[in-house]
Amino acid sequence: MRLRVAVITVVGVAALAIVGAAIWRPALSPVSVPSGFDPALVVKGSQLAAIGDCAVCHVGRDGQAYAGGNPVQTPFGAIYASNITPDPSTGIGTWSEAAFRRAMRDGVDRAGAFLYPAFPYNHYTHVTDADLSALYAFLMTRQPVPAPTPANRLLFPLNIRPIMAGWNLLFLHQGPVPTDPSQSETWNRGAYLVEGLGHCEACHTPHNVLGAEETGHAFTGGVAEGWEGPGLTAATSPAAVAWTADAIDRFLRQGIDNGHAAAAGPMGLVSHDLSGVPEADVRAMASYIASLTSAPDPAHEQQVAQRIAAAQRPPAALDGTPGATIFAGACAGCHGAGAPMMQAGRPSLGLSSAVTAPTPRNATQVILHGLQPQPGEAGPWMPGFAASLDDAQVAAVLSYVRARFTDRPAWTGVEESVHQIRQDKPS
Amino acid sequence: MIVLTVNNIRHELEIDPATPLLYVLRDTLGLHGAKYGCGLGQCGACTVMVDKRAVFSCLTPAAVLEGRQIKTIEGLGTIEHPGPLQQAFIDEQAAQCGYCIAGMIMRAEALLERNPSPTDAEIRAQMQPNLCRCGTHTRILAAIHRAAAVTRAAALAVPATQEAAR
């Protein structure tokens, strides 16, 4: 009996020790805000930060760069992006480079608390030491903004941070992005940027019930922040005509490719950031992404061109439907044959992935909330129709556009989907 | 036949249901406040209110408006008795050529009806879609602040009279 108690005690203590070791991370000593960085390193860091889209999530509530406080909506609740300016009390001013590296690689903050993978450390973990040093130099030379980060609003038990130790055990795969010697240097550079800092999979890969990217389904399409990240693989890309490296390069740097569509939603911010990145790096990302999809097929492209030419005329079969009436009064001024925008060479709706996609989600977002370039900058623009069209009217025009401009099957449950997307916060 | 309710008056209209509201207002109903600027929803000169929200009337087909409340600048006041926003725009001399002003006032009206005490940032965010080629934006902003202040002061001073006037 005594022996049994002793054994149970020993096993229990050992188990506690193992669990404790698994979930305990030491605080790393605070430092005074470092300075004296090489300006060239800071510039390199600024370009890497743009590839990593840091500014998109870590925007301040009043728009100050990197001040944090922006709620990132996840299926598990809202996670507030933290203040990553070098403010010593509310930002990362007391973080050593080792602490910064640990956050990026392991998803653990300076004080030893686990971070949530809304911060995509499962991708940033692949970033090289040299690039992390440059990012650190860049962030530590930003304007410090005192701005406390609000507390997250997460469902129990996910609000208990040590739980993320288990998530990391399952889903955090550290180490460099493997090099493929059979591919070009450009392709390998692209693979490093896309899989690492670019964290493209965070939106373009489906997530499992634990919020992790599904293994074996990379780049087959996901949903994030209310928008669909379309599939990028040959089997899953909704594109009417295949994307080439040139087209992807244009889309990433300019936010629009006239053979496909304009970048919208979170992708609009991504392309805005990538416009300031060295062209060779965007070219490399485009080269890698193009290799995921199928090669262009001239015969198929000709068929698509013919169908789009035929769609210039409103089809008689849809005449007099509510969708046709709304399209004529609300959309045709820009998207109809001969409209000034079409004369300027902008893509036909039949080429838009939002219209050819398996679900009407992205097209709904664009119709409700429009497309706006960053304040003060030029770019594709569309007014939102949330105030003038009700759910049934948006659904009618969606179904009309789908039928007129594509050969894809009709969407189902469109009105319910519009209703749901309208309730969600626009992002 | 399309039935539209504009400034609380019901109109039975024999029109093409795809006709944008702007043309119905100007050509059929003779309400010339809302202006044609771009026809693309890019300038805001055509802005009117539908169910308390600002919309571009140039891109709103009549067919989607049955059973909804349309309000135009003619519904805010008259030359003899301008509404608070109209008076504030006059007091601040916010119009230069004036082409954008009816749209500006209607977008501002939509804001003040739901938020009588907007911050400057809220006003700027609301007014963002409307353009003024003359560049009188600072006076337009001042006029909206003035209208909000005047309306608040009036509500505080004589709440009963204010209610009666409505």
Side-chain angles (χ1 to χ4, degrees), chain A residues 341-383:
Chain A
M341 190 176 83
M342 303 315 291
Q343 298 297 310
R346 285 291 166 83
S348 158
L349 287 171
L351 292 169
S352 165
S353 291
V355 180
T356 54
T359 79
R361 175 178 282 282
N362 288 1
T364 304
Q365 290 279 22
V366 172
I367 291 176
L368 287 177
H369 305 300
L371 270 184
Q372 283 85 31
Q374 292 298 293
E377 296 191 16
W381 188 88
M382 173 171 152

Side-chain angles (χ1 to χ4, degrees), chain B residues 49-54 71-72 75-76 85 105-118 126 148 151 166:
Chain B
M49 286 169 64
V50 171
D51 290 345
K52 298 192 172 286
R53 294 175 74 181
K71 192 193 272 189
T72 72
L76 297 191
L85 261 169
I105 290 179
M106 292 317 292
R107 191 168 292 278
E109 173 76 10
L111 173 65
L112 296 187
E113 283 190 14
R114 77 165 185 272
N115 177 4
S117 307
Q126 168 79 5
T151 308
R166 281 182 183 169

Side-chain angles (χ1 to χ4, degrees), chain A residues 324-331 333-334 340 372 375 381 383-390 393 422, chain B residues 16-20 39-42 50 53-56 58-61 63-65 68 128-129:
Chain A
T325 303
I326 297 170
F327 187 89
C331 316
C334 290
Q372 283 85 31
W381 188 88
F385 290 85
S388 56
L389 301 182
D390 66 21
Q393 291 160 350
R422 197 194 283 270
Chain B
D16 178 345
T19 312
L40 303 170
Q42 292 193 2
V50 171
R53 294 175 74 181
V55 306
F56 300 120
C58 74
L59 293 183
T60 308
V64 307
L65 296 167
R68 301 170 75 179
Q128 195 272 338

